[in-house]
């Protein structure tokens, strides 16, 4: 995944999942479901991503871990947005953000805020899109998440170009 070879990552995740299931390694079930969902999401296979993010959310709820719940809901927000179900996407992003704030998970909070910005841009709520993208950028800068900072900056550049606000871009 770090090398952006998502198809190959899915092969390894599948093999890992087989071992995890065979030996019932409960501690890794959440991670493999979440990572598999993430790889499918990056390949824009939203139906498959949805299945794995949903599985990770079930596991997170069983563990009663707010940080994991927020992370899974962020993934579901991505899936719902890409599938065109904007209402469910909004609910998952907003609820996920609340869990992430409580858990103080700024890295995933950056991702959730940028996902929400993308959603708002798709539904033509440009002020909200700017707000959440700037939130993502601010948190990423504060915490030194360079890749998250780059993602937010690229979104904002494209966003302001689309709005013909060249000074802001």
């Amino acid at each position: 995944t770090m090398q952006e070879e998502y198809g190959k990552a899915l092969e390894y995740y599948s093999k890992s999942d087989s071992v995890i299931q065979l030996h019932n390694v409960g501690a890794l079930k959440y991670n493999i479901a979440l990572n598999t969902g993430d790889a499918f999401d990056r390949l824009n296979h939203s139906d498959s991503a949805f299945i794995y993010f949903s599985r990770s959310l079930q596991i997170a709820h069983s563990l009663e871990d707010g940080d994991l719940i927020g992370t899974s809901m962020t993934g579901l927000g991505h899936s719902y947005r890409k599938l065109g179900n904007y209402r469910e996407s909004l609910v998952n992003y907003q609820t996920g953000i609340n869990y992430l704030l409580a858990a103080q998970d700024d890295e995933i909070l950056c991702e959730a805020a940028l996902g929400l910005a993308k959603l708002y841009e798709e539904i033509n709520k440009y002020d909200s899109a700017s707000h959440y993208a700037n939130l993502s950028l601010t948190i990423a800068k504060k915490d030194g998440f360079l890749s998250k900072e780059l993602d937010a900056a690229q979104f904002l550049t494209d966003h302001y170009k689309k709005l013909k606000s060249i000074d802001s871009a």
Side-chain angles (χ1 to χ4, degrees):
T1 299
M2 298 303 269
Q3 295 173 341
E4 299 181 5
E5 294 182 28
Y6 306 116
K8 186 59 95 175
L10 286 170
E11 289 178 37
Y12 286 112
Y13 290 151
S14 177
K15 291 176 184 180
S16 298
D17 190 38
S18 296
V19 173
I20 290 166
Q21 297 305 323
L22 178 67
H23 296 287
N24 197 27
V25 184
L28 297 178
K29 288 181 180 182
Y30 173 82
N31 293 63
I32 198 67
L34 182 76
N35 290 339
T36 302
D38 181 56
F40 276 122
D41 180 61
R42 291 171 188 262
L43 289 169
N44 290 315
H45 296 170
S46 300
D47 289 338
S48 297
F50 176 82
I51 291 167
Y52 285 95
F53 285 138
S54 295
R55 185 178 300 165
S56 73
L57 182 59
Q58 286 179 323
I59 296 166
H61 275 298
S62 72
L63 297 171
E64 298 179 359
D65 187 317
D67 188 18
L68 301 182
I69 292 168
T71 301
S72 295
M73 293 188 88
T74 297
L76 284 169
H78 299 334
S79 294
Y80 278 121
R81 178 175 47 82
K82 290 178 180 180
L83 292 167
N85 188 339
Y86 299 136
R87 188 180 69 75
E88 286 299 319
S89 178
L90 181 63
V91 167
N92 276 274
Y93 282 135
Q94 289 177 329
T95 306
I97 285 171
N98 289 333
Y99 278 106
L100 296 168
L101 285 168
Q104 298 179 340
D105 186 341
D106 285 352
E107 186 172 12
I108 304 301
L109 181 59
C110 287
E111 181 180 335
L114 188 57
L116 192 51
K118 291 176 182 178
L119 171 64
Y120 279 128
E121 184 172 76
E122 286 183 34
I123 61 174
N124 302 320
K125 292 191 175 189
Y126 300 116
D127 288 344
S128 295
S130 298
H131 169 77
Y132 282 100
N134 277 304
L135 175 64
S136 180
L137 181 65
T138 300
I139 295 167
K141 276 185 182 181
K142 174 183 69 80
D143 291 340
F145 301 134
L146 294 179
S147 65
K148 302 289 185 193
E149 186 176 346
L150 178 62
D151 292 343
Q154 185 63 54
F155 174 86
L156 283 164
T157 300
D158 294 342
H159 174 72
Y160 287 123
K161 281 181 182 178
K162 182 187 287 186
L163 296 177
K164 300 189 184 333
S165 183
I166 302 305
D167 290 345
S168 296

